[in-house]
Amino acid sequence: MLKIVYPGTFDPITYGHIDIIERGLRMFDQLIVAINANPGKQIFFSVEERVDLVKKALKKYKERIIVEPFKGLIVNYMTKRNINIILRGIRTTSDYEYEFQMALTNRHLCKNIETIFIVASEEYEFVSSSLLKEIALLGGDLKYFVPRVVENAIRKKIKAAKLRLD
Ligand code: ADP
């Protein structure tokens, strides 16, 4: 069985991520969405919430997808799971530079790890989790960017934050 790990922050999952996952599923039998519990950036949703949203957004693929959090180095997680292929998505040339550096670093840390890149679909090329949070804060429509379940979770979170500030 061919397995691949798709690691990321998924804060929250977007149609851009889902596009990469669907393309990955065409090549691999099983895909593990590994959610970084402690990314080195500010997060909007807790790791439990991010896992839950990914599971809900990918419900129709649940036989072929595992969603779980990981802590620490992705290469250590991969070794523990006995999988050696990482999937990442590329949107822009700046993504490429960062991803290229990460892939070489991971290979340096663990020599049999390979990274496979899938180019984002043009439709979702500009979709990013950070941009959509800004759109949501400013009251914009999110349906083009995320599934309904994610949109509802974002709105709920923003409402709760506003109530706390009032
Ligand atoms: P990280 O913090 O690890 O970059 P992200 O959740 O931001 O986590 O991204 C995970 C992966 O998904 C990255 O490889 C990123 O380039 C890719 N990705 C994010 N948004 C999109 C998109 N709209 N289209 C294609 N790939 C994407």
Side-chain angles (χ1 to χ4, degrees):
M1 180 139 106
L2 269 177
K3 297 182 183 182
I4 191 161
V5 172
Y6 182 33
T9 309
F10 302 97
D11 186 35
I13 185 164
T14 68
Y15 282 135
H17 293 121
I18 295 173
D19 177 60
I20 298 294
I21 289 166
E22 287 174 340
R23 290 172 194 281
L25 283 175
R26 289 190 207 140
M27 294 180 281
F28 290 82
D29 303 307
Q30 191 176 57
L31 188 147
I32 291 122
V33 183
I35 304 194
N36 193 342
N38 306 111
K41 53 185 173 187
Q42 229 194 328
I43 47 162
F44 193 64
F45 288 104
S46 70
V47 65
E48 293 78 17
E49 289 169 328
R50 284 179 282 138
V51 168
D52 183 55
L53 287 176
V54 173
K55 281 187 179 161
K56 285 180 175 150
L58 299 174
K59 208 164 64 194
K60 67 173 166 182
Y61 302 112
K62 69 175 189 299
E63 278 80 29
R64 294 175 60 205
I65 287 190
I66 292 174
V67 185
E68 63 182 19
F70 76 94
K71 278 188 185 153
L73 290 175
I74 188 64
V75 292
N76 291 345
Y77 168 82
M78 311 269 305
T79 309
K80 232 177 9 203
R81 267 221 160 257
N82 202 20
I83 303 175
N84 69 336
I85 310 173
I86 296 180
L87 173 64
R88 296 283 289 178
I90 302 261
R91 287 163 292 185
T92 55
T93 45
S94 59
D95 263 0
Y96 174 75
E97 283 185 24
Y98 172 74
E99 296 293 340
F100 182 74
Q101 199 179 12
M102 282 300 298
L104 284 180
T105 306
N106 284 331
R107 184 183 282 163
H108 186 78
L109 291 169
C110 184
K111 67 177 184 320
N112 60 351
I113 295 275
E114 295 297 344
T115 305
I116 288 189
F117 298 110
I118 292 186
V119 174
S121 140
E122 282 169 69
E123 226 181 317
Y124 302 120
E125 200 187 334
F126 64 93
V127 177
S128 76
S129 303
S130 45
L131 189 70
L132 77 91
K133 281 174 282 190
E134 256 181 76
I135 296 170
L137 277 169
L138 300 172
D141 192 349
L142 296 179
K143 69 170 181 295
Y144 186 77
F145 306 97
V146 291
R148 176 63 64 85
V149 63
V150 177
E151 178 172 358
N152 291 343
I154 296 174
R155 300 227 180 275
K156 212 165 135 191
K157 193 113 197 152
I158 289 176
K159 207 165 153 193
K162 279 189 179 151
L163 281 177
R164 268 204 309 278
L165 289 175
D166 285 344

